[in-house]
Amino acid sequence: MRLDARGGRQTCLVHILRKSREIRDLLDAGDEADPASRRFCDEIGKLIKEACALEVPASQKAREALVEKFHTRLARICGKRILAFAKAETLRLRLLPESREHWQLFAFILHGGPPSNNHAERAVRPLVIFRKVCLGTRSGTGSENISIFTSLAQTASLQGAHLIDMFRALFRSSPNPAQEAIFGPPP
C-alpha cells in the first residue's frame, strides 16, 4: 500500500462531495444524457459520505486496511472509461490512483484529524466578511496590517487572553509583555 508521501496532507472531503453534487445538478438541469457521469457522481458522493461518517479504528494495521479498502473502491468507481461530461471527467481524473489527490483523500484515517477543513474556513470567515464589508484595505500595507492584527487577536482569543490587555501591552512596550498577556509569564 502506498501511504501519503506528504506526511498526512488531507484533501477536504466536503469539497469533493460538493463538487460531485454540483456536477450531478448540472447533469440533471441540462440536456446531457450521460448515465455514466451521473452514476460516477452518485457513487463518489456515497463513498465520501461513508468515509466522513466512519469511526476510525484504534490500531494502525486496521486503519491501513480501511484506507486500502477505500482506495480500492475509489479506483473501481473511477474506472478506466472516460466520462462524456467534461466536468465529471475532470473530477474523475483528480481521483485516479495516478493522481496526487487520490492518496490524500483518506489521510485522516491514517494520521488522525478531521476529514474536512471546515474548522479553518470558519476561522477565516470573519476576516473575509470584514474585507467585503469595508471594500478591502486598498493597499498592500493595509492588508498586511489587518492580517497581523487579526492573527494576534485570534491567537489571544484562542488562548483565553483579554484582547485589550494584549494590545495595550503591545502598543506600550516591546513584544514580550504582549506575549505574556497572551500566554502568561514564562515558566
Side-chain angles (χ1 to χ4, degrees):
M1 176 171 126
R2 175 187 161 187
L3 297 179
D4 178 31
R6 300 194 183 276
R9 184 184 185 289
Q10 174 65 43
T11 293
C12 181
L13 295 186
V14 175
H15 289 143
I16 301 294
L17 182 61
R18 188 178 305 132
K19 191 65 167 170
S20 70
R21 283 185 191 150
E22 287 172 5
I23 294 167
R24 177 63 197 230
D25 289 346
L26 287 172
L27 285 164
D28 290 343
D31 295 331
E32 295 286 332
D34 187 11
S37 292
R38 282 187 171 87
R39 189 171 42 257
F40 168 77
C41 290
D42 291 342
E43 289 180 16
I44 287 294
K46 183 179 173 187
L47 180 71
I48 298 299
K49 285 178 188 175
E50 185 180 326
C52 288
L54 69 83
E55 183 139 346
V56 177
S59 81
Q60 181 68 24
K61 189 172 185 174
R63 290 194 308 263
E64 288 176 3
L66 188 59
V67 169
E68 183 66 31
K69 176 183 142 190
F70 274 108
H71 280 153
T72 301
R73 285 179 57 197
L74 180 63
R76 183 188 52 76
I77 291 168
C78 291
K80 301 205 182 299
R81 187 171 159 217
I82 296 172
L83 299 173
F85 192 65
K87 291 181 186 270
E89 177 61 13
T90 300
L91 180 60
R92 186 186 77 84
L93 291 173
R94 283 177 57 191
L95 304 177
L96 286 174
E98 300 82 35
S99 74
R100 172 185 52 113
E101 199 161 10
H102 175 88
W103 301 102
Q104 296 173 349
L105 284 175
F106 308 112
F108 76 98
I109 297 171
L110 287 175
H111 306 291
S116 72
N117 66 352
N118 193 29
H119 62 287
E121 290 183 7
R122 286 182 185 210
V124 298
R125 184 164 175 73
L127 185 58
V128 171
I129 291 171
F130 170 78
R131 187 190 72 222
K132 288 182 176 188
V133 167
C134 70
L135 302 174
T137 60
R138 298 192 178 121
S139 74
T141 303
S143 295
E144 187 176 351
N145 289 340
I146 291 293
S147 66
I148 290 169
F149 283 118
T150 55
S151 178
L152 288 169
Q154 184 71 10
T155 301
S157 180
L158 290 171
Q159 294 295 324
H162 290 45
L163 292 176
I164 300 299
D165 294 342
M166 186 268 306
F167 280 119
R168 184 179 294 127
L170 182 64
F171 291 133
R172 288 186 176 166
S173 60
S174 71
N176 294 338
Q179 185 175 355
E180 286 180 22
I182 296 173
F183 302 107

